[in-house]
Amino acid sequence: LDAAEAAIVVMENDETFDAGRGSFLNADGQVELDAGFMCGDGLRVGAVAGVQFIRNPIRLARAVMEQSEHVLLVAQGAQRFAHKLGFETCDLTDLAIPREFERWQKLLYDRTYSARASFAAGWGDEQVRSARGRGADTVGCVALDAEGHIAAGTSTGGTPNKMPGRVGDVPMVGCGFYADDALGGTSTTGWGESIAKVLLARLALQFLEQTDDPDHATRAAIAVLGEKVNGLGGVILLAPDGRLAWHYNTPHMAVAYHTAGMEAPHTSL
Ligand code: ASP
């Protein structure tokens, strides 16, 4: 749990990504964050949606899991819970950076923009400059400890210029994240409206259960996403025995992993 949370906190604090600082803004120019966290030992879950002025929503999601009797808290209720636990609040400008104010302004006047199209755009300079493309995305992590316990989490600012109050796949268990010590762990990214419809995180683990082939499981889940709902996205998967796989049908997905015995993490774009 600590390793998964720590990895996600690093990425939330890195403004490269659409999570924590550097998140996309909603149509009102505000940052609304979603995060979900799960422990494969006992299927414990915590998630938050539409939270503002919190630097690390993944920490709040974990707190929901460990310190409340609920699985999902939204908006003001989540913020009040954060306040009660002593989470520090921050200003909009601690989360929203000039790059995203600029994107928000450009998209306000872009009548043909759609969230789906932004996931189909690549990471070329031209696409990123055009405001429709994206430099980077939602962040997630799956970790397995020496005792066979799996933790999975995902954190996001959502999609650019989303409607205020819009919640995507990320804080929904089985869609943006899943962990079960007996089945494995997953974290997903991509067009949330499509991911939510096929429960992508849980679906990949269902294929793993059926085939015992991590690579096939991620490919089969992404195929369903594409075929059934014209979806776009990616999934990382860790099997209970440590085998790992990922797959995506977007132009890019950045992935890294580190296992015992490796001197440096393996990274791929
Ligand atoms: N899945 C996220 C959402 O729709 C966005 C992303 O993964 O980039 O909120």
Side-chain angles (χ1 to χ4, degrees):
L1 298 177
D2 291 345
E5 180 190 307
I8 293 170
V9 163
V10 167
M11 294 187 280
E12 285 178 336
N13 293 343
D14 184 330
E15 63 184 44
T16 307
F17 304 104
D18 171 32
R21 182 171 169 79
S23 286
F24 296 134
L25 309 187
N26 70 11
D28 285 348
Q30 296 290 315
V31 172
E32 287 183 329
L33 303 169
D34 303 335
F37 200 69
M38 186 159 182
C39 170
D41 180 16
L43 307 193
R44 290 180 293 143
V45 175
V48 291
V51 290
Q52 297 186 279
F53 313 118
I54 299 280
R55 280 178 208 271
N56 296 114
I58 197 68
R59 288 202 165 122
L60 190 55
R62 182 174 175 183
V64 170
M65 179 181 92
E66 293 179 332
Q67 299 180 57
S68 85
E69 55 174 316
H70 304 303
V71 297
L72 173 62
L73 290 179
V74 306
Q76 283 181 11
Q79 274 154 235
R80 272 165 57 184
F81 182 63
H83 182 70
K84 192 171 131 197
L85 295 185
F87 276 65
E88 225 182 88
T89 51
C90 64
D91 292 330
L92 175 62
T93 50
D94 292 322
L95 300 171
I97 61 172
R99 177 191 72 206
E100 296 309 326
F101 275 119
E102 212 176 294
R103 185 194 311 278
W104 171 69
Q105 280 182 327
K106 284 185 185 164
L107 291 180
L108 276 182
Y109 299 101
D110 185 342
R111 298 274 166 228
T112 58
Y113 165 79
S114 78
R116 186 187 185 280
S118 79
F119 287 98
W123 283 352
D125 286 349
E126 202 185 312
Q127 287 117 341
V128 172
R129 261 201 313 270
S130 79
R132 287 174 168 224
R134 37 187 58 231
D137 245 313
T138 290
V139 304
C141 177
V142 187
L144 169 69
D145 74 10
E147 285 165 18
H149 298 312
I150 295 177
T154 308
S155 178
T156 190
T159 51
N161 294 42
K162 63 188 179 182
M163 282 174 67
R166 177 266 189 190
V167 174
D169 58 308
V170 167
M172 294 199 266
V173 61
C175 302
F177 64 98
Y178 204 77
D180 179 339
D181 287 358
L183 296 179
T186 45
S187 172
T188 71
T189 180
W191 180 31
E193 279 72 7
S194 64
I195 291 172
K197 289 170 189 160
V198 300
L199 284 84
L200 187 64
R202 186 63 180 78
L203 182 66
L205 293 175
Q206 185 181 321
F207 284 121
L208 180 66
E209 196 178 13
Q210 285 165 2
T211 64
D212 192 34
D213 180 341
D215 192 51
H216 172 81
T218 55
R219 285 173 186 278
I222 295 297
V224 170
L225 178 71
E227 285 159 20
K228 285 218 171 196
V229 292
N230 197 23
L232 288 166
V235 56
I236 58 171
L237 177 149
L238 189 53
D241 59 6
R243 287 174 297 159
L244 52 88
W246 64 88
H247 195 63
Y248 52 94
N249 65 358
T250 48
H252 307 277
M253 183 173 80
V255 180
Y257 66 86
H258 199 156
T259 62
M262 283 170 62
E263 270 181 24
H266 169 92
T267 58
S268 94
L269 287 182

